Amino acid sequence: MNDDTTVEAIEGVEGIEGATAPSMGTAESAFAAGFTEDPGYLDFAKVGPLSAAVLAEASAAQEALGRFRHGALDSLATASDRVRSGLSAVSGFRPDQIVPQPTTSHGLVHVMFGLSGTLLLSPAEFPSLPVAAQRAADALGAMTPRWLDSDATGVSGHVTPDAVEAALDDDVTAVAVSLVDPRTGYVADLEGIRRVIGDRLLVVDAIQGFGVVDARYDVADVISGGGQKWLRSGWGTGFLAMGDRALEQLSPVLSGFTGTAEREPWDVVPEPAGSIAAFTLSNPDLLALARLAASLEEIDATGVPVIASAIAERAAQVIDIADELALPVVSPRAEHERAGIVVLEPSAGELGAIGAALHNHGVTVTTRQGRLRVSVHAGTTSETLGLFRDALISAATVGSSAAPSSRGRLTGTNC
């Protein structure tokens, strides 16, 4: 994929529903030019192909590790400060409130085991949250999960301020929620949830959307996330951010030797540190931190609002294609309730043909529980959206030939 094609994606796509291209600055152009994946990739909610900047950073870090000239370790170790600075710029948390983690789930386990009282959360969240909560409750008995009734939310996976408020009582000490629900694409109203829960702790699983959703992350007490999806920085790039109130209230149950105030606590076992470092087990992967640092620096230079706007435009175009072909869209349509995820629900008879057509056209999406999850990024091109549309039309054509009365509704207007 050449740079001109990729830049087109963030500028606006000609030929897909008549989109026009806004003006761009240098940072926006550089960000758009960093998308390296092949055409047809629409699965950023599962994993984001590494950006050009991340690839370059990884290559340099591996070279340093391979040759290990004098001072190489000190040079590699600077990635930790860069990550804290980048996460602070994007999230609003202070650098000293942030610590690397191997994955989002590692951070959430630290938090769940550190909680006490009653935790309100939805059982429909991605399993990282409910499983960690139940394991912590079973092991320690200090925290009790209270499961938010899916009927109360209106739509499974939509944790709204009203649903949370209705489930609150004096026993609830914390609320946990995903920034973006991975099955429905619904973006949680963090500010609204904060308003209704008062001074209770707010814990956010931010893996889906961190860095590309223009949200007030700092209204949360805790966020845990990772860089392998929307940050496009690969696996091993997790992080945990914790405000002062959370640090005071959470117990560092799973705390390793790096979680003390001493650099290497030989011959003694000190108490956990009074900082967020207490929520670590060992030293971080410096190569992973280098990749994450490069990604965050790109995002900070570009600006989350710019990236979010480009993604919103791409998502709207996916919805337009689905509407054109009469494919039901079951994810939110309102821009403030969606990010880069669009979920389609074809009939059971259509799903197989669509899956085969997507495969034949080289289009990558996630199929889960009878639905298609399409996830776009700021670098998604007109070529990719065109392949997606062509695949759906191809599936409709095959289906119409086999069973015109039942499959004709997928036929596009420009077959």
Side-chain angles (χ1 to χ4, degrees):
M1 184 182 299
N2 62 47
D3 288 353
D4 290 342
T5 301
T6 312
V7 169
E8 172 195 32
I10 201 168
E11 287 182 331
V13 179
E14 296 285 353
I16 301 291
E17 300 300 323
T20 57
S23 59
M24 291 179 62
T26 303
E28 294 91 330
S29 299
F31 186 79
F35 285 78
T36 61
E37 69 275 4
D38 288 341
Y41 193 80
L42 290 169
D43 212 8
F44 289 91
K46 177 175 284 185
V47 59
L50 302 184
S51 72
V54 169
L55 284 169
E57 187 79 25
S59 178
Q62 288 179 327
E63 174 74 10
L65 186 62
R67 300 181 67 84
F68 230 98
R69 293 189 175 97
H70 179 73
L73 185 58
D74 291 338
S75 177
L76 288 170
T78 62
S80 182
D81 288 338
R82 292 170 58 201
V83 163
R84 287 185 173 87
S85 177
L87 287 170
S88 177
V90 176
S91 70
F93 284 77
R94 301 192 311 267
D96 66 294
Q97 296 176 319
I98 298 167
V99 70
Q101 297 287 329
T103 67
T104 306
S105 295
H106 281 79
L108 291 174
V109 167
H110 275 295
V111 175
M112 295 299 110
F113 273 75
L115 283 169
S116 59
T118 298
L119 171 69
L120 180 65
L121 74 163
S122 168
E125 299 286 6
F126 185 80
S128 288
L129 261 178
V131 170
Q134 190 62 58
R135 295 292 181 267
D138 293 343
L140 303 178
M143 178 269 288
T144 302
R146 177 180 295 177
W147 305 109
L148 191 63
D149 186 352
S150 60
D151 292 337
T153 66
V155 179
S156 179
H158 291 200
V159 179
T160 65
D162 287 345
V164 170
E165 186 175 30
L168 291 175
D169 60 23
D170 292 342
D171 292 335
V172 175
T173 55
V175 175
V177 66
S178 294
L179 171 64
V180 178
D181 178 66
R183 284 190 290 188
T184 67
Y186 175 76
V187 178
D189 179 2
L190 299 185
E191 292 181 83
I193 293 174
R194 167 52 73 196
R195 281 193 297 271
V196 301
I197 69 172
D199 62 358
R200 297 172 178 88
L201 293 182
L202 177 58
V203 179
V204 177
D205 176 350
I207 181 66
Q208 286 290 1
F210 183 83
V212 299
V213 173
D214 190 15
R216 281 286 308 279
Y217 301 104
D218 59 345
V219 303
D221 296 286
V222 179
I223 61 170
S224 187
Q228 76 269 28
K229 298 179 185 290
W230 301 94
L231 298 182
R232 298 146 65 227
S233 56
W235 286 279
T237 52
F239 59 86
L240 180 65
M242 192 177 295
D244 293 336
R245 290 194 319 120
L247 188 60
E248 292 174 1
Q249 296 182 40
L250 295 180
S251 300
V253 175
L254 305 174
S255 188
F257 81 94
T258 55
T260 73
E262 300 184 32
R263 182 174 180 181
E264 291 183 346
W266 292 95
D267 304 318
V268 295
V269 181
E271 292 294 314
S275 67
I276 194 173
F279 296 87
T280 63
L281 294 175
S282 188
N283 291 308
D285 180 341
L286 297 180
L287 298 187
L289 289 184
R291 287 186 272 111
L292 180 57
S295 169
L296 292 166
E297 287 160 1
E298 263 196 309
I299 289 170
D300 185 34
T302 308
V304 173
V306 171
I307 298 169
S309 177
I311 290 174
E313 183 181 352
R314 306 279 87 70
Q317 290 164 352
V318 171
I319 292 172
D320 288 344
I321 292 170
D323 288 345
E324 175 194 358
L325 302 177
L327 263 177
V329 176
V330 295
S331 52
R333 290 175 175 268
E335 188 171 321
H336 72 282
E337 291 186 345
R338 61 172 165 81
I341 294 174
V342 179
V343 183
L344 310 178
E345 190 171 48
S347 69
E350 295 165 341
L351 190 60
I354 291 175
L358 291 170
H359 174 80
N360 292 337
H361 284 76
V363 178
T364 303
V365 302
T366 285
T367 303
R368 176 184 289 150
Q369 298 175 329
R371 294 175 171 181
L372 299 176
R373 186 182 69 182
V374 182
S375 45
V376 298
H377 210 306
T380 298
T381 64
S382 58
E383 181 179 6
T384 289
L385 293 175
L387 287 170
F388 174 67
R389 181 177 181 274
D390 289 347
L392 296 184
I393 292 174
S394 175
T397 302
V398 171
S400 296
S401 300
S405 61
S406 62
R407 296 298 300 273
R409 73 177 187 84
L410 274 176
T411 304
T413 57
N414 297 315
C415 292

